[in-house]
Each structure stands twice: as structure tokens, then as C-alpha cells.
DNA sequence: TAGGTCTACGAAAACGGTTTCGTGTTAATA
DNA sequence: TATTAACACGAAACCGTTTTCGTAGACCTA
């Protein structure tokens, strides 16, 4: 087992000072070419790698990004994550991931875990519980300390920071309109039973489209489900009770689950019931029939988030002031086989 | 914007030395109760948090785990990751994730990125290219440096380290046997076109079951696909050419894609073709019909991997020698509706 | 009263780098 | 020949902790 080699080792071995070694390895002209060559050769030979932690301590930056997301089962979050990771890596940053599990407490704990200098900034999407509770003190505290924060998807205007969202209201509107244009009149909306700002936005769009088409807006047409969809009875009851011919879901998991249930009840998709779900993930692609869906461009979202964060981190070094930005990524509807 | 508060700040403010502050905050009996109380109160008031980086430097350990996985679209990897993350967090460790994208070069770069002291150890599943190439020098180098490494799923016996696998050969055997018992005689095997040790193992099991049942083993019954399944023609041709009544796939994505293709060709599942896939993920659950699959217990795998790694990391501190362990997690077959 | 033992704290080294500043030697200039 | 500039390097401070060791003063004991 090889011991780790440090500047000190090299210095001792080559009988020069640590500062000389450091400068030589940075190819500083302050050191004679001879000495530089010698030191560089030695370092190469012994495969010297500067200790990142020491550099982090010195520079007071880690080149680590903290990502906190509610879950990793929804394709949307994994694709955003992928976008972040890809971009960050090209910039020499690493990504530390924590999963809040939709829980307020875990979100707080995870932020704490990362707060002590382990990361240069956060990229987050709020936990459901946090949005429900409306308690953002942990975020405020972070922003107060001057730690950069980028919020995506599940954002809040209680916090001043960079944000990336999609045009949820409009997407909800467009999707609903598409269902209406396909001839649907009784359109159900499936959303999370716990409050999420994105769901609320999408619901707005849904309402607007219905009203515009002169269709009745009825709260009984809304099915609210728990994150994991464990509540089988609720949906069973809902679909028996309501005679729907269209369905809009705020995510693809709900959409597919509902589609299966409808199929079990003998409904044909899309002839009897047309369906659109948010998130164009593998589930939507692989579904039978393939699901028409609102593509959220998760990877692009992640990339933009990472870009915003890194720009802000690096702007801090130069002490330049940057205004907070909000980018809205336009969602599209990708038509497949569950709409008419 | 609040400035970060350090031991030095507190020391200056309270007119004591840094060492006194440090000890007082650890509630050392070396410091008088009065002083302790005073310092603790002050720290509390200003919300002092020790700088993790400094502690890492001092302790020469970061409490970070590096995870390198080939992709994040297969449910198997995300579930292993989730297992790692969950367990690691309970032990106060953070997880840094890199994705190798099945590429040798990216795997090497990612390892380098993490090697410089950012992490205490690695948990990895090898990239396809790495297994194909058979070049493990980057891993050997890491092990040589004494950095703990745990390999899961895609392992190799070229490297001496802790390993977690499933009983791939046996699982392949059992799955094939189940298909045979269901009456299938012409059973296709779908695997990655690039060499993967897990695929090879599963194929062994498949052969063994066929031979045992006296069925002919024919290489033309094997469909080899690229990771992303972009090669639509190949599978189309395969299913037109071969009249199969059973199919075993090394992952759920291939399984579902093949099922869709077979359905398009008018085959009924499972009446005409019975299907079993590896990985019991959401895709399998949501498929239509739901896929019978080999459950790999990804979360448990991740948890065990994290446990092995953390145990080894912490054993290093006490200089105790630990033998390398290999844990084989028994895979089960979960019967759903694609088998008879 | 000299010597010993606590108590309560501080100085300093250490972790592994970077960077500023100072200095001895040599060479160039007045 | 005296002055100065350039060169090549080293000492030391610093990032924020932890930890070992040293010690001043109070108190106790023979």
C-alpha cells in the first residue's frame, strides 16, 4: 500500500522548500527551469495529486454542489439530476445528492449536513411537506449566510434566489385544451393530495381551459393521491363514481396507474378516455399505449440550474453583484397514443 | 449577509484562546464550568457550526462516499443508490455521485475527480466499456493507495475488494426453468451487445436450464442489444425471424421494449410468449401486462455496500485488518402476469 | 517553607496546500 | 568600484480545526 505523497514529501526528498515545490508544480517562472523540471518529473513519477481538502480549506470553496430532491423514483427528478451532474462535471464540480423523501425534517437535516462548508451552493426542489407547511426558515438562513441557492420546479416566492420552473399554468392549460379538442367533456385532474405549488399552477391552467370551453368546473372531478399512490381504494372509487372521458395527471406515475385502473374497468384508451400526463419519462414511452405527455425538459432544467449556481458561486469570488434570475422553460406536449 | 463565525472569532470576542473555545464546545472538563457555559451560550447565539473542511483536513477523512454508476435510467441503479444514500446518511456520511455513462474514459475521469481526498471510499458498478476492455488499472491504483472500494453487481475478480452481487447464474437458471415449466420451448435470451459479467452469468444459467430440459441451445436465439436500445431494426428482424414462445431479458427496459414489439407483431403475452425480465422496477410493475421479474433487491444491495464500505473506512482508523468480503444477495422471481 | 498536586487555561504543532514577502547571490550598470 | 536590478529560492502566515504539552497560580502536605 503506497503512502500518500504530499508537497512536504517531495520537498524533503528533493531537498528544497515546500514553497518551491508548490510553485514549480504550477510552473511558476519564479523557479528556474532546471528545478521545475526536476520537481515535475518527480511528482509525475510518484503520481502526486494535490489534496483537494487542503485546497478547499485554503480557497474557502469546495467545488461541490449540494442537490436536494424529494425523491428519485420520478423520472423528472432523475433527469434534472442528470442535467446538473453532466454540466457540473464539465466545470470541475462534484455533486452531492440528498433525498428529502418529501419530508420537511429530512430536508432540514440534509441541508444542515451539507451546510458546514461541504458545498459551495445548493440546488433544490422543495419537499411536499415543506410546501404544505410553508416554513422556509432553513432556506432563509442559508441565503442569509450568503450561500448560493437555486430552486427548481417546486419553488416559492418567499425566497429570493435564482429559480428555474416550467410554465406550469400554461402547460396545464394547453394539455387540457388538447383533451377538449379531442372531444373530451368530462375531464378529471389527478394531483398530489398534499399541496404543491406546481400542482396548483397546473390546476389553474386546467380550470382556465375548462371555463374557456364552457365546460363545468367541478371539484369532484379532481382526484388527489398520496405521493406513492398507496391509496388504491380512493382511485377505484373515483373511477367508478365518475364517468370521465379525459384525464390530466400532474405526473407520469399517476397517469399510468390511472390508465391501468381504467383499462381494468374495461375502458379503451384513448377511445373512451384520453389521457395526458406530465413528465415524458421512460414510463410514458413504454406504457401501453404510449402516453401523450407534457415534456418538461428535465435535463435542460438541470443544466440551467447548475449553470446559474456555478455562475453565482464564481461571481462571489470577484465580489460582483448579480441580480436573481428566474428562467421559465417552455414545456411542450408530445403527442403519442393516449389522445385523440 | 452574516459572516461565517469561526473559533477564532469567538475566542477574540470572549477574550480567550482558540484552544479554550474548542475544548469548551466539546464540553471538556478541562475548562471550568463557568467558561464552558459562557462559550457555549455565545456559540449557540451566533449559530456556530464547525467547518467541515477543516475537520476533514485534520482527521484525514471526509465522511463522503463516492458512488460511480453506469447510468441512472435503469431502476436497478437508482434503487441501489437509494439504499446507499439512506444508510450512509444515518451514519453521517454524504454521497457524491458520478455517472460513467458506460464509458471507460468517464469512469476514469470520475474516479480521478474524486480521488484527491474528496472521499473516504468508492462504491462502484463497472461501466460496460470497462468490462469489455478488461482494463482495471484505475481500480488497482485506488486499491493500492489503500482507498476502500466496494464493487456491486458488475464486479470483476481481477480486483481484490469487497463485493456485492446477486446469484446471477442461478437466477438465470431459475427464470429459464420457470419459462420451461410454463411450457415454453423456444426461449430467447436478450442481453447487452457489449460484454457484461452479469449478463454472461445469467446466460450460463439460461444454458444450463435449457440443457437440463433437453432443449436445444442455439446461439441464434440470443438477441444482443445496445445499452439504449436504439437499434430498432435488429430486434424487429430478430422477432420476425425467430418463432419464440418464451423470453428472458437481462433487464427490464429490454424486456418491456421486446414485449411491446411482440405485441405489435400480434403476439399475446403470456399466451403466445411468456416473458421474464431482470429488475423489478416501476417499469415492470406498470407494464401492461405487469412483468414477471427477477427482483434484485437493489436497496438492500446498496445498503450492504454502504455498510461494507463504512465498516472498512472506520476499521482503517483503528488499523485493524479486515478480510475482503463477498456477499451474494439471493434474487427471487416475482411472478406477475407475463408468465404462465 | 519547600515541594507536590490540581485546576484552568494558552502556545504551538499539525493536517496539506497557497501566497506574500524577504534575502543572498550573481550580473549589469554608472 | 560601488550601486542596483534580476534571479531563484526559502520563511512564514494563512485557511479552521484538534490535540498535546507546558505552566501559572491556588491549595495542600510534611
Amino acid at each position: 500500500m503506497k503512502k500518500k505523497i504530499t508537497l512536504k514529501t517531495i520537498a524533503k526528498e528533493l531537498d528544497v522548500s515546500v514553497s518551491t515545490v508548490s510553485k514549480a508544480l504550477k510552473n511558476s517562472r519564479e523557479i528556474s527551469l532546471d528545478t521545475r523540471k526536476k520537481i515535475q518529473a518527480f511528482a509525475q513519477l510518484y503520481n502526486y495529486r494535490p489534496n483537494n481538502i487542503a485546497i478547499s480549506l485554503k480557497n474557502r470553496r469546495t467545488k461541490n454542489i449540494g442537490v436536494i430532491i424529494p425523491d428519485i423514483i420520478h423520472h423528472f427528478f432523475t433527469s434534472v439530476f442528470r442535467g446538473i451532474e453532466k454540466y457540473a462535471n464539465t466545470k470541475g464540480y462534484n455533486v452531492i445528492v440528498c433525498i428529502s423523501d418529501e419530508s420537511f425534517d429530512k430536508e432540514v437535516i440534509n441541508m444542515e449536513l451539507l451546510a458546514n462548508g461541504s458545498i459551495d451552493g445548493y440546488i433544490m426542489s422543495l419537499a411536499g411537506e415543506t410546501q404544505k407547511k410553508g416554513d422556509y426558515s432553513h432556506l432563509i438562513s442559508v441565503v442569509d449566510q450568503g450561500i448560493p441557492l437555486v430552486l427548481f420546479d417546486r419553488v416559492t416566492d418567499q425566497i429570493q434566489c435564482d429559480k428555474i420552473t416550467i410554465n406550469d399554468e400554461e402547460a396545464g392549460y394547453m394539455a387540457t385544451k388538447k383533451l377538449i379538442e379531442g372531444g373530451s367533456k368530462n375531464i378529471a385532474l389527478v394531483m398530489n393530495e398534499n399541496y404543491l405549488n406546481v400542482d396548483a399552477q397546473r390546476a389553474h391552467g386546467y380550470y382556465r381551459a375548462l371555463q374557456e370551453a364552457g365546460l363545468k368546473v367541478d371539484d369532484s372531478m379532481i382526484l388527489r393521491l398520496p405521493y406513492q399512490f398507496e391509496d388504491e381504494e380512493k382511485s377505484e372509487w373515483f373511477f367508478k363514481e365518475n364517468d370521465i372521458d379525459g384525464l390530466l395527471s400532474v405526473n407520469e406515475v399517476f397517469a399510468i396507474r390511472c390508465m391501468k385502473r381504467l383499462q381494468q374497468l374495461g375502458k379503451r384508451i384513448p377511445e373512451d378516455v384520453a389521457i395526458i400526463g406530465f413528465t415524458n419519462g421512460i414510463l410514458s414511452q413504454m406504457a401501453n399505449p404510449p402516453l401523450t405527455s407534457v415534456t418538461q425538459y428535465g435535463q435542460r432544467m438541470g443544466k440551467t440550474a447548475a449553470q446559474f449556481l456555478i455562475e453565482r458561486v464564481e461571481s462571489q469570488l470577484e465580489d460582483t453583484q448579480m441580480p436573481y434570475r428566474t428562467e421559465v422553460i417552455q414545456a411542450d406536449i408530445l403527442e403519442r397514443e393516449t389522445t385523440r
Side-chain angles (χ1 to χ4, degrees), chain A:
Chain A
M1 171 172 144
K2 289 183 211 155
K3 258 301 358 86
K4 267 246 191 75
I5 183 168
T6 69
L7 288 188
K8 208 198 277 188
T9 329
I10 305 183
K12 204 166 289 174
E13 215 65 34
L14 260 44
D15 210 37
V16 290
S17 78
V18 173
S19 9
T20 303
V21 178
S22 175
K23 290 170 193 163
L25 291 178
K26 319 207 88 148
N27 218 13
S28 158
R29 332 206 56 235
E30 208 181 326
I31 305 300
S32 72
L33 197 61
D34 271 10
T35 319
R36 259 188 280 166
K37 290 271 178 236
K38 192 175 62 180
I39 292 176
Q40 286 168 5
F42 189 92
Q44 170 90 24
L45 181 64
Y46 286 94
N47 193 32
Y48 168 76
R49 295 270 172 267
N51 180 319
N52 242 326
I53 298 292
I55 294 179
S56 292
L57 182 59
K58 181 75 183 147
N59 294 348
R60 279 122 128 226
R61 50 194 300 253
T62 58
K63 292 215 143 202
N64 285 158
I65 293 177
V67 173
I68 303 180
I69 48 180
D71 70 63
I72 200 169
I73 68 155
H74 285 101
H75 184 269
F76 171 65
F77 288 120
T78 68
S79 72
V80 173
F81 169 73
R82 186 73 180 106
I84 296 172
E85 199 257 354
K86 246 184 191 165
Y87 184 79
N89 274 350
T90 68
K91 293 288 181 178
Y93 283 73
N94 281 125
V95 178
I96 301 184
V97 196
C98 293
I99 293 163
S100 66
D101 247 340
E102 302 285 10
S103 141
F104 175 79
D105 289 342
K106 284 194 194 161
E107 186 174 285
V108 173
I109 290 171
N110 282 329
M111 287 195 77
E112 283 279 332
L113 205 57
L114 299 179
N116 320 79
S118 302
I119 55 157
D120 294 340
Y122 296 92
I123 296 178
M124 296 182 59
S125 191
L126 298 171
E129 242 181 72
T130 306
Q131 291 217 315
K132 188 177 169 192
K133 211 170 168 179
D135 181 352
Y136 302 114
S137 45
H138 51 307
L139 299 177
I140 293 175
S141 143
V142 156
V143 173
D144 264 11
Q145 287 170 54
I147 306 175
L149 167 67
V150 176
L151 250 30
F152 74 89
D153 194 55
R154 307 214 198 138
V155 305
T156 170
D157 37 54
Q158 304 281 87
I159 306 283
Q160 303 270 338
C161 66
D162 291 317
K163 291 166 195 167
I164 329 270
T165 63
I166 65 160
N167 50 341
D168 285 294
E169 202 273 348
E170 204 184 333
Y173 171 80
M174 293 186 312
T176 310
K177 202 169 165 191
K178 167 140 223 64
L179 290 170
I180 294 170
E181 283 167 3
S184 298
K185 298 221 174 328
N186 293 307
I187 302 173
L189 173 64
V190 185
M191 51 197 283
N192 288 283
E193 75 184 359
N194 293 305
Y195 174 83
L196 289 181
N197 71 319
V198 285
D199 287 18
Q201 294 294 320
R202 292 166 196 177
H204 266 142
Y206 161 83
Y207 288 137
R208 182 157 66 90
L210 290 186
Q211 274 164 349
E212 206 179 280
L215 293 171
K216 79 161 191 295
V217 174
D218 193 342
D219 208 59
S220 74
M221 294 296 278
I222 298 187
L223 173 59
R224 291 168 210 272
L225 294 173
Y227 300 125
Q228 309 305 343
F229 197 97
E230 317 93 351
D231 196 353
E232 303 284 326
E233 281 179 30
K234 203 166 177 177
S235 71
E236 210 172 323
W237 182 85
F238 180 88
F239 289 120
K240 282 190 179 145
E241 206 66 14
N242 294 289
D243 190 27
I244 63 166
D245 55 7
L247 185 148
L248 175 63
S249 162
V250 295
N251 65 47
E252 62 174 0
V253 177
F254 287 174
I256 303 271
R257 284 235 137 117
C258 289
M259 179 161 83
K260 289 199 74 172
R261 192 163 295 292
L262 287 163
Q263 286 170 330
Q264 281 162 9
L265 292 172
K267 304 281 187 185
R268 291 164 308 157
I269 314 291
E271 294 81 358
D272 299 332
V273 184
I275 302 181
I276 300 184
F278 271 74
T279 305
N280 172 30
I282 323 187
L283 267 179
S284 300
Q285 295 163 38
M286 302 289 184
N288 186 5
L291 199 70
T292 296
S293 45
V294 179
T295 70
Q296 297 167 282
Y297 300 107
Q299 284 220 22
R300 202 162 92 210
M301 210 159 170
K303 183 189 165 174
T304 311
Q307 209 174 324
F308 278 16
L309 186 73
I310 291 174
E311 276 173 32
R312 187 162 292 278
V313 166
E314 305 199 331
S315 84
Q316 283 189 338
L317 303 178
E318 295 135 23
D319 237 1
T320 53
Q321 289 294 348
M322 278 175 62
Y324 290 125
R325 290 176 286 182
T326 293
E327 174 134 341
V328 178
I329 291 179
Q330 297 299 314
D332 289 341
I333 293 183
L334 184 67
E335 238 182 301
R336 278 197 282 246
E337 299 169 30
T338 58
T339 43
R340 305 181 279 249

